[in-house]
Protein backbone atom coordinates (compact mmCIF):
# COMPACT_ATOMS: atom_id res chain seq x y z
CA UNK A 1 0.00 0.00 0.00
CA UNK A 2 1.21 3.44 -0.90
CA UNK A 3 -0.04 6.19 1.42
CA UNK A 4 -0.40 9.69 -0.01
CA UNK A 5 -0.59 11.90 3.08
CA UNK A 6 -1.87 15.43 2.39
CA UNK A 7 -2.59 14.33 -1.18
CA UNK A 8 -4.21 17.64 -2.12
CA UNK A 9 -0.71 19.15 -2.08
CA UNK A 10 0.79 17.01 -4.86
CA UNK A 11 -2.19 15.60 -6.81
CA UNK A 12 -4.36 18.69 -7.03
CA UNK A 13 -7.56 18.91 -9.02
CA UNK A 14 -6.32 22.04 -10.80
CA UNK A 15 -3.97 21.60 -13.73
CA UNK A 16 -0.86 23.04 -12.08
CA UNK A 17 2.29 22.33 -14.12
CA UNK A 18 4.35 22.08 -10.92
CA UNK A 19 2.65 18.82 -9.98
CA UNK A 20 2.08 17.30 -13.42
CA UNK A 21 4.67 14.51 -12.99
CA UNK A 22 3.51 13.42 -9.52
CA UNK A 23 -0.14 13.65 -10.55
CA UNK A 24 0.46 11.53 -13.68
CA UNK A 25 2.39 8.89 -11.71
CA UNK A 26 -0.13 8.61 -8.88
CA UNK A 27 -3.08 8.53 -11.29
CA UNK A 28 -1.36 5.66 -13.10
CA UNK A 29 -0.81 3.81 -9.82
CA UNK A 30 -4.45 4.20 -8.86
CA UNK A 31 -5.64 3.04 -12.30
CA UNK A 32 -3.22 0.16 -12.88
CA UNK A 33 -1.91 -0.75 -9.42
CA UNK A 34 -4.62 -3.25 -8.52
CA UNK A 35 -3.42 -5.52 -11.33
CA UNK A 36 -0.09 -5.81 -9.53
CA UNK A 37 -1.32 -5.90 -5.93
CA UNK A 38 -0.57 -2.25 -5.20
CA UNK A 39 -3.18 -0.17 -3.45
CA UNK A 40 -3.26 3.55 -2.79
CA UNK A 41 -4.50 5.32 0.33
CA UNK A 42 -5.38 8.93 -0.39
CA UNK A 43 -5.32 11.04 2.79
CA UNK A 44 -6.43 14.66 2.67
CA UNK A 45 -8.08 17.25 4.85
CA UNK A 46 -9.31 18.89 1.65
CA UNK A 47 -10.71 16.11 -0.57
CA UNK A 48 -12.45 18.63 -2.82
CA UNK A 49 -8.98 19.74 -3.98
CA UNK A 50 -7.77 16.23 -4.95
CA UNK A 51 -7.76 15.03 -8.57
CA UNK A 52 -11.14 13.72 -9.76
CA UNK A 53 -9.38 10.90 -11.61
CA UNK A 54 -7.99 9.54 -8.36
CA UNK A 55 -11.32 9.68 -6.54
CA UNK A 56 -13.09 8.03 -9.47
CA UNK A 57 -10.87 4.96 -8.93
CA UNK A 58 -11.35 4.81 -5.15
CA UNK A 59 -13.87 2.32 -3.83
CA UNK A 60 -13.78 3.10 -0.09
CA UNK A 61 -14.03 6.39 1.72
CA UNK A 62 -13.42 7.09 5.39
CA UNK A 63 -14.23 10.54 6.71
CA UNK A 64 -12.55 11.46 10.00
CA UNK A 65 -13.68 15.08 10.34
CA UNK A 66 -16.95 15.83 12.25
CA UNK A 67 -19.53 17.60 10.08
CA UNK A 68 -20.08 21.27 10.76
CA UNK A 69 -22.83 21.84 11.65
CA UNK A 70 -23.47 18.42 13.18
CA UNK A 71 -26.83 16.74 12.48
CA UNK A 72 -29.52 17.22 15.11
CA UNK A 73 -30.72 13.61 14.89
CA UNK A 74 -30.19 11.10 17.68
CA UNK A 75 -30.05 7.33 17.45
CA UNK A 76 -31.39 4.92 20.01
CA UNK A 77 -28.66 3.50 22.23
CA UNK A 78 -29.60 -0.07 21.28
CA UNK A 79 -27.32 -1.77 23.80
CA UNK A 80 -28.87 0.10 26.75
CA UNK A 81 -32.45 -0.40 25.49
CA UNK A 82 -31.91 -4.17 25.12
CA UNK A 83 -30.78 -4.37 28.75
CA UNK A 84 -34.02 -2.78 30.04
CA UNK A 85 -36.75 -4.91 31.56
CA UNK A 86 -39.64 -5.98 29.35
CA UNK A 87 -42.43 -3.40 29.17
CA UNK A 88 -46.02 -4.56 29.13
CA UNK A 89 -48.38 -2.71 26.82
CA UNK A 90 -51.94 -2.01 27.98
CA UNK A 91 -53.94 -3.80 25.29
CA UNK A 92 -57.20 -2.25 26.49
CA UNK A 93 -56.12 1.27 25.67
CA UNK A 94 -55.89 1.88 21.91
CA UNK A 95 -52.90 3.79 20.60
CA UNK A 96 -53.75 6.54 18.15
CA UNK A 97 -51.61 7.88 15.36
CA UNK A 98 -51.23 11.11 17.33
CA UNK A 99 -49.83 9.12 20.27
CA UNK A 100 -47.25 7.54 18.00
CA UNK A 101 -46.29 10.89 16.49
CA UNK A 102 -45.89 12.47 19.95
CA UNK A 103 -43.55 9.61 20.97
CA UNK A 104 -41.51 9.98 17.77
CA UNK A 105 -41.10 13.70 18.32
CA UNK A 106 -39.68 13.17 21.81
Amino acid sequence: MIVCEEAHNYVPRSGSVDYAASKKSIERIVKEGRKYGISLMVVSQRPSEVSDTIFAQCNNFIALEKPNPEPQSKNVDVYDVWKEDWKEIDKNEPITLNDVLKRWRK
Side-chain angles (χ1 to χ4, degrees):
M1 175 182 292
I2 298 173
V3 179
C4 297
E5 179 72 33
E6 298 296 323
H8 58 273
N9 287 326
Y10 47 90
V11 285
R13 174 175 288 182
S14 63
S16 175
V17 175
D18 297 336
Y19 301 103
S22 64
K23 185 175 176 182
K24 182 178 179 181
S25 298
I26 292 173
E27 286 179 352
R28 187 166 184 196
I29 290 168
V30 80
K31 287 180 187 176
E32 306 291 333
R34 287 175 289 199
K35 295 177 189 175
Y36 306 101
I38 299 172
S39 58
L40 182 72
M41 179 188 292
V42 179
V43 181
S44 176
Q45 293 180 6
R46 294 180 268 186
S48 63
E49 296 178 17
V50 176
S51 164
D52 290 331
T53 303
I54 290 173
F55 276 128
Q57 297 294 323
C58 291
N59 59 355
N60 294 313
F61 296 89
I62 299 173
L64 304 175
E65 308 299 321
K66 286 187 173 185
N68 186 6
E70 290 189 38
Q72 297 297 313
S73 62
K74 294 184 180 181
N75 293 331
V76 174
D77 191 353
V78 177
Y79 182 75
D80 289 338
V81 173
W82 280 352
K83 293 190 307 185
E84 291 178 3
D85 291 335
W86 183 261
K87 296 177 184 173
E88 292 294 330
I89 298 174
D90 185 0
K91 296 177 184 174
N92 296 327
E93 187 176 326
I95 298 175
T96 66
L97 179 59
N98 285 334
D99 293 334
V100 172
L101 293 176
K102 284 179 192 175
R103 290 179 191 167
W104 280 354
R105 290 179 181 140
K106 284 185 183 179

